[in-house]
Amino acid sequence: MRLNLKDKPMHFQNPRLFCDHFTNNNSPALLLQPVRREVLSLQPHVVLYHDFVTGAEAEDIKKLAQDGLKRSVVAAGEKQETADYRISKSAWLKGSESSIVGRLDHRISVLTGLNVKHPYGEFLQVVNYGIGGHYEPHFDHATVR
């Protein structure tokens, strides 16, 4: 679905589902650079933000991660280990205010109102599955102590 800034919100079969340019959340940044938003579901509330990461930003992230890619691990009690059901390489990128990761963290915070910086959110994980790579269905969870 394509939107122009002058377009009015487009509604789906359910009139409460729509596409628009999101400019709210009390952020001057969103007034200057609206985000294309598509509400996919009301229950649960699911929103898709189109073109949130540019192609150039994605390439920069891939370059940043390249040297840190290592065989992906899974939680195994208190430690981590490799597993046959997860075949990939991954890297965790810590953001700084001046890096692409820091700028994306800021953009996410402006959009959602959430603090995504560590320890409130995870660092950016980049995963390369390569040819034949996979991760079987699984549950992500953290044990709270």
Side-chain angles (χ1 to χ4, degrees):
M1 172 168 310
R2 299 203 182 267
L3 294 173
N4 293 321
L5 284 175
K6 59 187 173 205
D7 290 343
K8 293 184 178 177
M10 177 178 273
H11 292 272
F12 298 93
Q13 288 180 351
N14 179 339
R16 295 177 59 202
L17 299 180
F18 61 90
C19 289
D20 69 356
H21 279 85
F22 184 62
T23 59
N24 206 342
N25 221 18
N26 298 320
S27 171
L30 288 174
L31 290 174
L32 296 173
Q33 189 173 359
V35 177
R36 291 177 27 188
R37 172 179 68 169
E38 182 177 355
V39 179
L40 300 174
S41 172
L42 298 172
Q43 193 66 346
H45 186 73
V46 178
V47 178
L48 173 63
Y49 296 100
H50 292 270
D51 303 321
F52 188 78
V53 177
T54 68
E57 289 170 331
E59 291 302 316
D60 288 347
I61 289 169
K62 288 194 291 189
K63 286 177 192 165
L64 275 175
Q66 192 65 43
D67 290 338
L69 287 171
K70 297 193 179 1
R71 172 75 193 263
S72 297
V73 293
V74 297
E78 294 290 320
K79 54 186 184 144
Q80 296 184 328
E81 61 187 30
T82 61
D84 290 341
Y85 62 88
R86 183 176 193 185
I87 308 299
S88 63
K89 291 183 177 182
S90 58
W92 293 88
L93 302 180
K94 298 178 181 179
S96 69
E97 295 304 318
S98 62
S99 75
I100 181 63
V101 177
R103 292 192 303 273
L104 285 175
D105 282 348
H106 177 73
R107 204 179 315 158
I108 292 167
S109 292
V110 164
L111 190 60
T112 64
L114 299 172
N115 182 351
V116 297
K117 296 198 182 303
H118 186 76
Y120 305 105
E122 289 186 333
F123 296 120
L124 177 63
Q125 183 182 28
V126 177
V127 181
N128 181 341
Y129 287 95
I131 296 171
H134 63 277
Y135 199 173
E136 293 179 8
H138 64 285
F139 291 100
D140 280 350
H141 62 87
T143 304
V144 179
R145 296 176 192 221

